[in-house]
Amino acid sequence: MKKKIKINKNKGIVFWVTGLSGVGKTTISKKLQPLLNKKFGKTVLINGDDLRLIFELKNYDANSRIKYVKQYSKICQFLINQNINVIMSVVGLFHDIHTWNRKYLSNYIEIYIKSSLTKIKKFDSRGVYKRKKVVGIDINKQTPKKPHIVIFNDFIKDQKFYAKKIFDKLDKILN
């Protein structure tokens, strides 16, 4: 069993949902959000694609990706310091980011969603894997070293199933 996580009740919680593009991070997070709202209070869902649109972030090379995701981490830090819970759904598969998050984000819970690249490509409705500078293809992915929760999306079960699975695992590691 995973080690229990002590939550500082004076701060919000960051539920950092990471994995390859198209693995189901945001879809699962949308199903997870009402469960978290009920248990932990209002929880805002932010995803990397929305932040790219809002801030007009157009570069996809590794250095730009790291810079952007570090900014996302700082937004999470700003929100949790105001006792706001955040689900951050983002590729963000860089060890520097995971290390920074663990050091500077109190109440940080890392959730890694994985699947086979073949399955992800099969369900690639946005055409991500036809582009260049894709993490896991052109850019080396750095999977989290010690995520709190790991889920394997087989794309067979409903995404609500995976949200419930994450929620049940959270219940076991949070005191």
Side-chain angles (χ1 to χ4, degrees):
M1 185 163 98
K2 293 273 185 185
K3 184 180 172 184
K4 291 263 188 192
I5 300 171
K6 179 111 175 103
I7 294 297
N8 177 346
K9 304 245 189 254
N10 297 319
K11 296 201 179 233
I13 304 168
V14 175
F15 303 94
W16 189 269
V17 181
T18 189
L20 289 173
S21 185
V23 78
K25 298 176 300 295
T26 300
T27 306
I28 292 168
S29 293
K30 285 177 182 176
K31 305 288 184 187
L32 180 62
Q33 186 180 20
L35 302 171
L36 297 177
N37 280 337
K38 193 171 183 178
K39 176 140 181 138
F40 301 104
K42 184 66 179 156
T43 303
V44 65
L45 170 60
I46 303 172
N47 81 59
D49 291 337
D50 287 343
L51 290 177
R52 278 183 168 280
L53 287 171
I54 292 166
F55 295 113
E56 299 178 1
L57 305 173
K58 305 212 186 285
N59 297 322
Y60 287 86
D61 60 280
N63 288 335
S64 295
R65 285 176 177 273
I66 291 169
K67 178 183 172 188
Y68 298 162
V69 178
K70 178 76 73 72
Q71 292 170 334
Y72 304 168
S73 294
K74 289 179 180 181
I75 290 170
C76 290
Q77 184 182 44
F78 175 78
L79 292 170
I80 65 169
N81 284 339
Q82 296 180 66
N83 207 7
I84 298 169
N85 301 319
V86 179
I87 302 170
M88 183 67 227
S89 171
V90 64
V91 174
L93 292 170
F94 301 102
H95 291 151
D96 287 350
I97 297 299
H98 306 143
T99 301
W100 192 93
N101 288 351
R102 285 182 183 269
K103 184 173 182 180
Y104 295 105
L105 299 178
S106 56
N107 298 343
Y108 173 72
I109 299 170
E110 198 168 77
I111 302 164
Y112 176 47
I113 301 176
K114 60 185 192 172
S115 186
S116 75
L117 193 53
T118 305
K119 288 233 179 183
I120 294 171
K121 284 181 175 182
K122 182 179 175 184
F123 294 99
D124 181 21
S125 60
R126 297 181 299 148
V128 169
Y129 290 92
K130 293 180 176 124
R131 299 182 202 144
K132 299 284 185 212
K133 299 179 186 170
V134 176
V135 174
I137 304 291
D138 309 300
I139 298 172
N140 184 36
K141 72 173 179 175
Q142 297 174 355
T143 57
K145 291 180 180 177
K146 291 184 179 179
H148 299 100
I149 296 172
V150 178
I151 296 293
F152 186 84
N153 184 356
D154 61 11
F155 293 92
I156 295 170
K157 297 173 193 75
D158 181 81
Q159 301 305 305
K160 201 171 195 175
F161 169 85
Y162 298 109
K164 179 75 169 97
K165 195 170 181 178
I166 290 168
F167 186 75
D168 291 344
K169 289 184 178 213
L170 283 170
D171 210 30
K172 290 179 183 168
I173 62 172
L174 295 174
N175 57 348

